[in-house]
Amino acid sequence: MLIAVPDLLDATAVASVRALIDAAQWVDGNVTSGHQSALAKRNMQLPEDAPEARQAGQIILDALGKSPMFIAAALPLKIFPPLFNSYAGGQAFGVHVDNAVRLQAGTGFRVRSDLSITVFLEDPERYDGGELTIETNFGVQQVKLPAGHAVLYPSSSLHRVEPITSGRRVASFFWLQSMVRDDAARQMLFDLDSSIQALAAELGHDNGQVIRLTGLYHNLLRRWADA
Ligand code: NI
């Protein structure tokens, strides 16, 4: 599944993140690549341990924690600290699948990548190219969203970043381990949760059928979740 989270960051948060990362020292993006993706990757990146990356990443993590849509869609168990990259002057990231397990350098913190996240940090009118192209079961989808919006997609999917033909694309990217490993099961829980929220708004949370469906949601989650 591919889920857009609109307005994850408001304009103030985008400006705060950009002020931090624009002042930092960028390096060649291949510092985080696995062997296969290093062959395909041409971009710039903030070092994982850069203090600016940590601070800007915390702004994003705080926003994720306050987004009911993100929590319902991702059912996050562990989130890798957000990283930041930029593409300009023809840079691109060729087709690849993300590494299955990400290890945070120097900490022993490990995350199985179930979902990949991109948070767009530049106004799409300010650059050409740079679409995130994802191969899904329903065909190829291209994603290019306003600054502050995020997209979640399965880390198992083939994806690429199209070459930048003008301007500069700036984004945050990272991975998460979901409480529900199976993408189809997680999608069904999200659909069920969305319907329960809509029914509860119409009928009230104390409606008998809403209570039964909410119970069903939690009993499925109990069956499928690692916690
Ligand atoms: Ni990737």
Side-chain angles (χ1 to χ4, degrees):
M1 73 177 165
L2 197 152
I3 294 173
V5 182
D7 297 313
L8 174 69
L9 302 178
D10 62 20
T12 310
V14 171
S16 302
V17 167
R18 284 299 302 266
L20 282 163
I21 65 173
D22 288 354
Q25 194 74 40
W26 293 71
V27 297
D28 187 294
N30 278 319
V31 291
T32 60
S33 304
H35 178 68
Q36 178 213 345
S37 53
L39 302 173
K41 186 174 180 183
R42 285 179 294 124
N43 65 6
M44 298 294 283
Q45 195 166 304
L46 278 193
E48 204 176 310
D49 57 358
E52 298 90 345
R54 292 280 169 82
Q55 286 176 50
Q58 194 57 52
I59 295 173
I60 292 174
L61 292 174
D62 290 347
L64 291 173
K66 290 181 196 147
S67 167
M69 186 184 178
F70 165 75
I71 292 167
L75 297 169
L77 179 62
K78 294 195 258 179
I79 303 179
F80 198 85
L83 301 173
F84 298 87
N85 62 15
S86 77
Y87 296 80
Q91 288 180 323
F93 197 160
V95 69
H96 66 280
V97 164
D98 290 343
N99 286 0
V101 178
R102 307 298 309 207
L103 180 64
Q104 190 186 7
T107 66
F109 181 62
R110 279 196 306 184
V111 174
R112 184 188 66 230
S113 58
D114 294 324
L115 285 170
S116 300
I117 302 164
T118 295
V119 183
F120 292 82
L121 294 171
E122 182 60 275
D123 182 349
E125 278 84 56
R126 299 191 61 196
Y127 62 94
D128 292 311
E131 294 85 358
L132 174 62
T133 301
I134 304 165
E135 295 183 17
T136 74
N137 293 341
F138 305 103
V140 171
Q141 299 218 33
Q142 289 206 312
V143 186
K144 185 173 182 175
L145 298 174
H149 293 217
V151 63
L152 311 180
Y153 57 98
S155 303
S156 56
S157 62
L158 282 166
H159 57 275
R160 61 184 186 267
V161 176
E162 302 294 340
I164 283 282
T165 53
S166 77
R168 179 167 175 252
R169 176 197 199 266
V170 182
S172 177
F173 68 101
F174 49 101
W175 308 272
L176 70 82
Q177 180 169 338
S178 176
M179 289 189 285
V180 177
R181 178 180 196 152
D182 182 65
D183 200 52
R186 197 185 321 109
Q187 172 79 61
M188 286 191 281
L189 285 169
F190 183 50
D191 288 345
L192 178 57
D193 182 61
S194 302
S195 291
I196 291 169
Q197 298 307 324
L199 281 175
E202 212 172 290
L203 305 173
H205 282 276
D206 55 355
N207 175 276
Q209 296 307 319
V210 170
I211 291 169
R212 290 178 72 92
L213 286 170
T214 304
L216 174 62
Y217 174 86
H218 284 285
N219 289 335
L220 286 171
L221 185 58
R222 205 183 326 274
R223 178 169 285 239
W224 290 337
D226 300 313

